[in-house]
Amino acid sequence: MRRRDCLSLCAASLQSATAAGAGAGAARPRVRFPRPQRQFELRRWYPLALLEQALQRSGWEVELQPSEQVMVQSRALRELQEPDGAVDVAWSVTSAAREQALRPIRIPIYRGLFGWRVLLVPQSRRDALRAVQDLEGLRALTLLQGHDWPDTEILRANGLRVLTTARYDQLFAMLARGRADAFPRGVTEVEYELARESQTVALEPHLLLHYPAAEYFFVSTQRPDLAEALEQGLLRMVEQGDLDRLLQRHHGAALKALHLGERRRIALHNPLLPSATPLADERLWWRP
């Protein structure tokens, strides 16, 4: 099946699922989200499951609808700033600049997991980083990241050498060809990527990078109604333990398989982290 046809079918399935149970002819608010670059079943995507549940907790029964075009993160966030933008909500690791331009809902949807990073390496060099002990050792490597990802700026701020490209798929090809030593990936992302790229890349077994990071839902500053609904719904899920249960249902097995507590942890600082980040609220953050 072609990529476009697959995405269209997945989108149609999601819209059908979110519409189930509505009365005949009932009009429901439409909430548009960025169509992803990856191919997978959208109804099984954790951010969408969380988005739908949070809105339901606030009394919103919505139709979740992907944008017509695939959107990289930077474009999705730009669309949120436009009066007639193509999306109503997006999610991203936060930064001071993003919080100034958009309305953040300051509840980390992955409980900070995007700041915990393992490394993908070329298949032939699976054990090549065994000797890396600390940040200085890491600085001798060349790492890969997307050109518009906040992680790129964070890594460079720690003195790390980073090679970038605008195309997500190209990063894996560059790694397989030996253009870089490693590709840091979030612990909730790497299972899917390893399964897809298992012929050419491998999981580095020794290292775990960490910097404080929060991935939030963002909406337009012109949508206080949507922001309030999301905040209320997410808070209710946190208080009742449902956000953690949903995250564990989607990612718990993969996290366990990474043996994160047994890895050598290298701490990095995050200069992009806004002062309003609720780091003191222990309910919101995951710890290995």
mmCIF file of all heavy atoms in Angstrom, residues 107 233-244 281 283-284:
data_model
loop_
_atom_site.group_PDB
_atom_site.id
_atom_site.type_symbol
_atom_site.label_atom_id
_atom_site.label_comp_id
_atom_site.label_asym_id
_atom_site.label_seq_id
_atom_site.Cartn_x
_atom_site.Cartn_y
_atom_site.Cartn_z
ATOM 1 N N ILE A 107 1.636 20.600 31.372
ATOM 2 C CA ILE A 107 1.601 19.256 31.964
ATOM 3 C C ILE A 107 2.342 18.357 30.981
ATOM 4 O O ILE A 107 1.862 18.130 29.863
ATOM 5 C CB ILE A 107 0.158 18.774 32.172
ATOM 6 C CG1 ILE A 107 -0.557 19.720 33.145
ATOM 7 C CG2 ILE A 107 0.142 17.339 32.695
ATOM 8 C CD1 ILE A 107 -2.038 19.522 33.215
ATOM 9 N N GLY A 233 -8.659 18.679 31.769
ATOM 10 C CA GLY A 233 -8.708 17.240 31.540
ATOM 11 C C GLY A 233 -7.416 16.546 31.919
ATOM 12 O O GLY A 233 -7.425 15.472 32.543
ATOM 13 N N LEU A 234 -6.282 17.138 31.570
ATOM 14 C CA LEU A 234 -4.995 16.533 31.903
ATOM 15 C C LEU A 234 -4.777 16.503 33.418
ATOM 16 O O LEU A 234 -4.268 15.518 33.961
ATOM 17 C CB LEU A 234 -3.866 17.296 31.213
ATOM 18 C CG LEU A 234 -3.752 17.091 29.702
ATOM 19 C CD1 LEU A 234 -2.770 18.090 29.098
ATOM 20 C CD2 LEU A 234 -3.322 15.665 29.370
ATOM 21 N N LEU A 235 -5.142 17.577 34.099
ATOM 22 C CA LEU A 235 -4.989 17.604 35.556
ATOM 23 C C LEU A 235 -5.822 16.514 36.218
ATOM 24 O O LEU A 235 -5.375 15.862 37.172
ATOM 25 C CB LEU A 235 -5.376 18.977 36.098
ATOM 26 C CG LEU A 235 -4.315 20.070 35.966
ATOM 27 C CD1 LEU A 235 -4.877 21.414 36.398
ATOM 28 C CD2 LEU A 235 -3.066 19.715 36.788
ATOM 29 N N ARG A 236 -7.022 16.320 35.724
ATOM 30 C CA ARG A 236 -7.854 15.255 36.285
ATOM 31 C C ARG A 236 -7.216 13.888 36.056
ATOM 32 O O ARG A 236 -7.253 13.012 36.933
ATOM 33 C CB ARG A 236 -9.245 15.312 35.655
ATOM 34 C CG ARG A 236 -10.077 16.490 36.153
ATOM 35 C CD ARG A 236 -11.345 16.679 35.375
ATOM 36 N NE ARG A 236 -12.084 17.853 35.849
ATOM 37 C CZ ARG A 236 -12.970 18.512 35.135
ATOM 38 N NH1 ARG A 236 -13.254 18.119 33.901
ATOM 39 N NH2 ARG A 236 -13.596 19.565 35.644
ATOM 40 N N MET A 237 -6.612 13.703 34.892
ATOM 41 C CA MET A 237 -5.960 12.432 34.605
ATOM 42 C C MET A 237 -4.736 12.231 35.504
ATOM 43 O O MET A 237 -4.468 11.114 35.958
ATOM 44 C CB MET A 237 -5.564 12.368 33.134
ATOM 45 C CG MET A 237 -6.758 12.311 32.186
ATOM 46 S SD MET A 237 -6.265 12.091 30.453
ATOM 47 C CE MET A 237 -5.683 10.383 30.487
ATOM 48 N N VAL A 238 -3.976 13.302 35.744
ATOM 49 C CA VAL A 238 -2.821 13.207 36.643
ATOM 50 C C VAL A 238 -3.274 12.853 38.048
ATOM 51 O O VAL A 238 -2.732 11.937 38.696
ATOM 52 C CB VAL A 238 -2.028 14.538 36.644
ATOM 53 C CG1 VAL A 238 -1.009 14.543 37.789
ATOM 54 C CG2 VAL A 238 -1.328 14.752 35.308
ATOM 55 N N GLU A 239 -4.266 13.552 38.550
ATOM 56 C CA GLU A 239 -4.733 13.355 39.929
ATOM 57 C C GLU A 239 -5.270 11.942 40.155
ATOM 58 O O GLU A 239 -5.136 11.381 41.246
ATOM 59 C CB GLU A 239 -5.808 14.395 40.250
ATOM 60 C CG GLU A 239 -5.253 15.809 40.359
ATOM 61 C CD GLU A 239 -6.334 16.871 40.313
ATOM 62 O OE1 GLU A 239 -7.525 16.490 40.140
ATOM 63 O OE2 GLU A 239 -6.004 18.061 40.435
ATOM 64 N N GLN A 240 -5.872 11.355 39.131
ATOM 65 C CA GLN A 240 -6.452 10.027 39.268
ATOM 66 C C GLN A 240 -5.506 8.913 38.806
ATOM 67 O O GLN A 240 -5.878 7.735 38.833
ATOM 68 C CB GLN A 240 -7.765 9.968 38.484
ATOM 69 C CG GLN A 240 -8.819 10.934 39.036
ATOM 70 C CD GLN A 240 -10.023 11.078 38.134
ATOM 71 O OE1 GLN A 240 -10.197 10.320 37.173
ATOM 72 N NE2 GLN A 240 -10.870 12.052 38.429
ATOM 73 N N GLY A 241 -4.292 9.301 38.399
ATOM 74 C CA GLY A 241 -3.315 8.315 37.961
ATOM 75 C C GLY A 241 -3.532 7.794 36.559
ATOM 76 O O GLY A 241 -2.819 6.879 36.110
ATOM 77 N N ASP A 242 -4.483 8.365 35.829
ATOM 78 C CA ASP A 242 -4.818 7.834 34.508
ATOM 79 C C ASP A 242 -3.795 8.205 33.444
ATOM 80 O O ASP A 242 -3.614 7.462 32.475
ATOM 81 C CB ASP A 242 -6.198 8.327 34.084
ATOM 82 C CG ASP A 242 -7.302 7.726 34.939
ATOM 83 O OD1 ASP A 242 -7.125 6.584 35.404
ATOM 84 O OD2 ASP A 242 -8.335 8.391 35.154
ATOM 85 N N LEU A 243 -3.126 9.353 33.585
ATOM 86 C CA LEU A 243 -2.110 9.705 32.593
ATOM 87 C C LEU A 243 -0.968 8.706 32.649
ATOM 88 O O LEU A 243 -0.507 8.211 31.612
ATOM 89 C CB LEU A 243 -1.607 11.137 32.833
ATOM 90 C CG LEU A 243 -0.738 11.741 31.719
ATOM 91 C CD1 LEU A 243 -0.860 13.261 31.701
ATOM 92 C CD2 LEU A 243 0.735 11.342 31.864
ATOM 93 N N ASP A 244 -0.511 8.382 33.845
ATOM 94 C CA ASP A 244 0.575 7.412 33.979
ATOM 95 C C ASP A 244 0.142 6.038 33.480
ATOM 96 O O ASP A 244 0.912 5.337 32.814
ATOM 97 C CB ASP A 244 1.029 7.323 35.432
ATOM 98 C CG ASP A 244 2.225 6.401 35.595
ATOM 99 O OD1 ASP A 244 3.234 6.612 34.894
ATOM 100 O OD2 ASP A 244 2.149 5.462 36.402
ATOM 101 N N ASP A 281 6.830 19.579 40.850
ATOM 102 C CA ASP A 281 5.649 18.730 41.010
ATOM 103 C C ASP A 281 6.014 17.296 40.627
ATOM 104 O O ASP A 281 6.008 16.932 39.447
ATOM 105 C CB ASP A 281 4.511 19.256 40.141
ATOM 106 C CG ASP A 281 3.185 18.565 40.435
ATOM 107 O OD1 ASP A 281 3.192 17.481 41.052
ATOM 108 O OD2 ASP A 281 2.132 19.112 40.040
ATOM 109 N N ARG A 283 4.515 14.592 40.749
ATOM 110 C CA ARG A 283 3.487 13.769 40.097
ATOM 111 C C ARG A 283 3.665 13.749 38.585
ATOM 112 O O ARG A 283 3.173 12.837 37.913
ATOM 113 C CB ARG A 283 2.107 14.332 40.399
ATOM 114 C CG ARG A 283 1.719 14.416 41.857
ATOM 115 C CD ARG A 283 0.380 15.121 41.976
ATOM 116 N NE ARG A 283 0.404 16.441 41.346
ATOM 117 C CZ ARG A 283 -0.678 17.169 41.043
ATOM 118 N NH1 ARG A 283 -1.886 16.682 41.325
ATOM 119 N NH2 ARG A 283 -0.565 18.347 40.484
ATOM 120 N N LEU A 284 4.340 14.777 38.043
ATOM 121 C CA LEU A 284 4.359 14.987 36.602
ATOM 122 C C LEU A 284 5.534 14.323 35.901
ATOM 123 O O LEU A 284 5.572 14.266 34.684
ATOM 124 C CB LEU A 284 4.397 16.488 36.289
ATOM 125 C CG LEU A 284 3.263 17.342 36.879
ATOM 126 C CD1 LEU A 284 3.438 18.794 36.458
ATOM 127 C CD2 LEU A 284 1.907 16.814 36.443
#
